[in-house]
Amino acid sequence: MDLVNHLEGRLLFAVPKKGRLNGAALNLLEGADIQFRRENRLDIALVKNLPIALIFLPAADIPTFVGEGRVDLGITGFDQVQEHDAGVRAINRKRRFSGEITPEEESARGSSSSGCETVMDLGFGACKLQVQVPDKGSYATPKDLIGKNIGTSFVHLAEKYFADLEIEEEGEANGNFNGKIRTTIIELSGSVEAACALGVADGIVDLVESGETMKAAGLKAIDTVVESTAILIKSRSPSNPAMVDLIASRIRGVITAQRYVLCQYNVPRSLLSQASKIAPGKRAPTVTTLDEEGWVAVSVMVEKKKIAPVMDDLAKVGATDILVLSIANTRSS
């Protein structure tokens, strides 16, 4: 089947084709009941139960496709969106310094540099884009790297970072900054952490998750450029806004189910105010009058990671018959 000819009328949804975000993104789609089968590692898959086509792309390319309106919806890292936006701003900055556009035009274009909007934080894929140097080297602060060689796959964010450092050091207001930085940014597509050991770079700007790879390469972080998690982004002009809202609602529900449990308890109405301060809920508790006079039943959403102390505190103020319900299990106290 020629999948390309079956895309008309379908919302295009970009998903990371590989890498650290791929598995979690696919699990999220499964939880949202987006049913598809990816044939022979093709980069297009038609969703069976909704008018959607999944487009498998490198995470770094997704902000560009969504931003240009070629794709309606996408999952990528916040760091990738920031890199894309920094690239657009860099182009506008160079055009200003060359006289092609005015400072006012640069400012106007910069305010709308990205054609995509963030729908929500998806809560997985947490990492930091950090400036790293050899642990036993002589570089202690980011300014020590001005004028040196920096290896990275995030060339635009790295360039902006060191441009800001150089402006701070030299002062654009004094006319010393002409849009070109003295620091050399070396683009690397992989194994960035090896750049220092191999003599390619004096420092690097790279993603750090656990930090183990960085330590194994003999590196240490001296600053953080961007903190990132996976996000859902959409085009400013999606082909089917209603379908975008539907998918966003489903994904939001999946995330809520992953992060929260339902806590139910009985409490004297006179103590309801105290109990509600302990567990205010995602929006507000649901309160139902019990057949026993002066008592109410309460249902409230609580973050999974906070549920144990919440149960303890509810019991202390007089709540009884405390139940915690989740997809995985039921606990009581």
Side-chain angles (χ1 to χ4, degrees), residues 76-146:
T76 188
F78 178 72
D79 54 310
Q80 300 293 353
V81 174
Q82 292 296 295
E83 171 69 5
H84 170 262
D85 289 356
V88 174
R89 287 192 294 268
I91 293 173
N92 291 331
R93 184 170 60 248
K94 290 175 182 178
R95 294 185 67 187
R96 171 170 67 90
F97 280 110
S98 67
E100 293 182 52
I101 61 175
T102 65
E104 292 75 20
E105 288 174 322
E106 179 193 15
S107 178
R109 296 181 184 190
S111 64
S112 59
S113 60
S114 177
C116 57
E117 298 178 1
T118 299
V119 179
M120 72 183 80
D121 185 337
L122 299 176
F124 61 84
C127 62
K128 296 179 180 180
L129 184 65
Q130 294 187 318
V131 181
Q132 303 166 33
V133 295
D135 187 34
K136 298 180 180 180
S138 58
Y139 306 117
T141 70
K143 287 188 177 180
D144 293 336
L145 292 171
I146 290 177

Side-chain angles (χ1 to χ4, degrees), residues 268-287:
R269 184 175 287 278
S270 60
L271 300 175
L272 177 60
S273 177
Q274 295 181 53
S276 295
K277 290 179 181 178
I278 296 169
K282 198 168 184 288
R283 177 168 294 177
T286 299
V287 181

Side-chain angles (χ1 to χ4, degrees), residues 89-250:
R89 287 192 294 268
I91 293 173
N92 291 331
R93 184 170 60 248
K94 290 175 182 178
R95 294 185 67 187
R96 171 170 67 90
F97 280 110
S98 67
E100 293 182 52
I101 61 175
T102 65
E104 292 75 20
E105 288 174 322
E106 179 193 15
S107 178
R109 296 181 184 190
S111 64
S112 59
S113 60
S114 177
C116 57
E117 298 178 1
T118 299
V119 179
M120 72 183 80
D121 185 337
L122 299 176
F124 61 84
C127 62
K128 296 179 180 180
L129 184 65
Q130 294 187 318
V131 181
Q132 303 166 33
V133 295
D135 187 34
K136 298 180 180 180
S138 58
Y139 306 117
T141 70
K143 287 188 177 180
D144 293 336
L145 292 171
I146 290 177
K148 307 298 182 182
N149 295 325
I150 306 299
T152 185
S153 58
F154 291 82
V155 291
H156 300 302
L157 281 175
E159 184 175 315
K160 179 184 182 300
Y161 177 87
F162 282 97
D164 290 343
L165 280 184
E166 293 185 25
I167 289 172
E168 183 181 337
E169 182 92 346
E170 302 172 12
E172 185 176 16
N174 297 326
N176 295 327
F177 188 76
N178 62 0
K180 297 180 180 179
I181 64 173
R182 294 188 288 115
T183 307
T184 301
I185 307 299
I186 301 171
E187 183 173 7
L188 301 172
S189 59
S191 301
V192 179
E193 69 278 357
C196 293
L198 296 176
V200 174
D202 301 293
I204 65 172
V205 174
D206 198 20
L207 289 177
V208 176
E209 294 182 65
S210 66
E212 294 302 317
T213 300
M214 176 182 69
K215 292 178 182 178
L219 300 170
K220 65 179 179 181
I222 58 174
D223 199 10
T224 296
V225 180
V226 170
E227 294 190 13
S228 178
T229 56
I231 58 176
L232 180 69
I233 59 176
K234 68 175 182 179
S235 166
R236 294 189 186 274
S237 301
S239 62
N240 188 340
M243 184 58 60
V244 169
D245 291 343
L246 173 66
I247 297 305
S249 177
R250 287 192 181 189

Side-chain angles (χ1 to χ4, degrees), residues 17-18 22 38-44:
K17 66 186 299 182
K18 58 183 179 180
N22 174 263
R38 188 180 178 188
E39 297 284 354
N40 301 319
R41 308 299 294 175
L42 292 176
D43 289 338
I44 299 175

